[in-house]
């Protein structure tokens, strides 16, 4: 209890770098050629099962802003395996393709590109609970395959901010490079909690702000996910990742929910 998940007892295929981008550092500065990873083949450990209880949606009152949580997105074991995979890639101070002001993102990051074996299974569990459209633009049937992973060690925080919209990403047919999906933009942030208080995490709530400055704190619950609207505009939910106070790190995956009728990977 409390130790970081280990990949030592799992069998993993080799990793490769599928893209490199400038990576921003927490206190300012840029690291060129920060890697984005993928596995050469789909890991058996990341092929999800079908024994999880049915997912349920719970709306969050934010004064007219869109936010909700979904329970039972992944199992505790599946969450541990995702975390173990990312520790295998290695967390870094710099975050590739992310531009944040100095002092805003004070955590560790690793970005990787998964495939339909993982994210298609997740979408099958939750798709019926997502908004069917965003401002008239239809929900895309695939989540972006690029996962922005964050590890919050003791005293780490992601200060108050909003998320902008993103293109979708997937892997090329030979899994050698990350490709952008044309015709799609994200409309919802999905924060998949990979551990929580039940694992010894202290603090680390996600704080969602209403327009009047009041807020709602969401306690990370392993296997659940939090969703909220994002864009470059007034309907984007202001939020922060509150400080982790204990010695057990908090793990969370940011996944983008896509809208539009463009193409997406079928891997």
């Amino acid at each position: 209890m409390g130790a970081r998940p280990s990949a030592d007892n799992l069998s993993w295929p080799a990793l490769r770098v599928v893209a490199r981008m400038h990576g921003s550092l927490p206190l300012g500065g840029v690291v060129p050629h920060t890697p984005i990873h993928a596995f050469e083949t789909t890991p058996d450990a990341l092929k999800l099962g079908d024994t999880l209880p049915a997912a349920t949606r719970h709306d969050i009152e934010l004064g007219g802003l869109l936010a909700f949580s979904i329970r039972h997105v992944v199992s505790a074991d599946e969450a541990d395996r995702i975390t173990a995979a990312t520790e295998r890639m290695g967390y870094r101070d710099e975050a590739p393709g992310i531009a944040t002001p100095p002092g805003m993102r004070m955590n560790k990051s690793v970005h990787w590109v998964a495939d339909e074996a993982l994210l298609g299974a997740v979408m099958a569990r939750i798709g019926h609970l997502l908004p069917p459209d965003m401002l008239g633009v239809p929900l895309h049937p695939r989540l972006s395959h690029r996962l922005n992973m964050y590890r919050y060690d003791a005293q780490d925080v992601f200060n108050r901010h909003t998320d902008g919209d993103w293109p979708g990403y997937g892997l090329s047919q030979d899994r050698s490079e990350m490709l952008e999906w044309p015709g799609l933009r994200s409309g919802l942030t999905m924060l998949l909690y990979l551990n929580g208080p039940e694992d010894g995490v202290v603090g680390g709530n996600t704080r969602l702000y209403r327009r009047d400055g009041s807020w709602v704190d969401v306690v990370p619950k392993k296997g659940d996910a939090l969703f909220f609207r994002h864009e470059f505009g007034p309907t984007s939910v202001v939020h922060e990742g509150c400080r982790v106070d204990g010695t057990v790190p908090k793990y969370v995956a940011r996944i983008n929910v896509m809208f539009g009728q463009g193409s997406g990977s079928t891997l």
Side-chain angles (χ1 to χ4, degrees), residues 134-204:
M134 194 68 66
L135 299 178
V137 181
L139 175 70
H140 189 69
R142 294 187 180 93
L143 300 166
S144 178
H145 289 175
R146 176 175 173 176
L147 282 73
N148 302 359
M149 303 290 309
Y150 297 110
R151 189 184 75 202
Y152 291 75
D153 295 324
Q155 306 305 307
D156 281 355
V157 64
F158 203 139
N159 287 306
R160 182 170 170 158
H161 65 287
T162 58
D163 294 342
D165 62 343
W166 282 55
Y169 293 96
L171 289 172
S172 60
Q173 287 290 333
D174 64 0
R175 303 176 69 96
S176 67
E177 60 180 322
M178 181 177 75
L179 300 178
E180 183 175 323
W181 294 347
L184 301 172
R185 299 298 296 184
S186 63
L188 290 173
T189 294
M190 172 182 175
L191 295 182
L192 177 61
Y193 295 118
L194 300 175
N195 66 347
E198 62 269 47
D199 298 296
V201 176
V202 178

Side-chain angles (χ1 to χ4, degrees), residues 29-59:
V30 170
V31 177
H33 311 302
T34 301
I36 298 173
H37 304 276
F39 288 103
E40 291 188 351
T41 59
T42 301
D44 288 338
L46 298 182
K47 296 176 181 177
L48 304 193
D50 56 5
T51 59
L52 204 62
T56 57
R57 171 172 162 166
H58 305 272
D59 290 339

Side-chain angles (χ1 to χ4, degrees), residues 11 17 21 33 45 94 164 177 233:
S11 177
V17 174
M21 294 182 171
H33 311 302
E94 62 270 26
E177 60 180 322

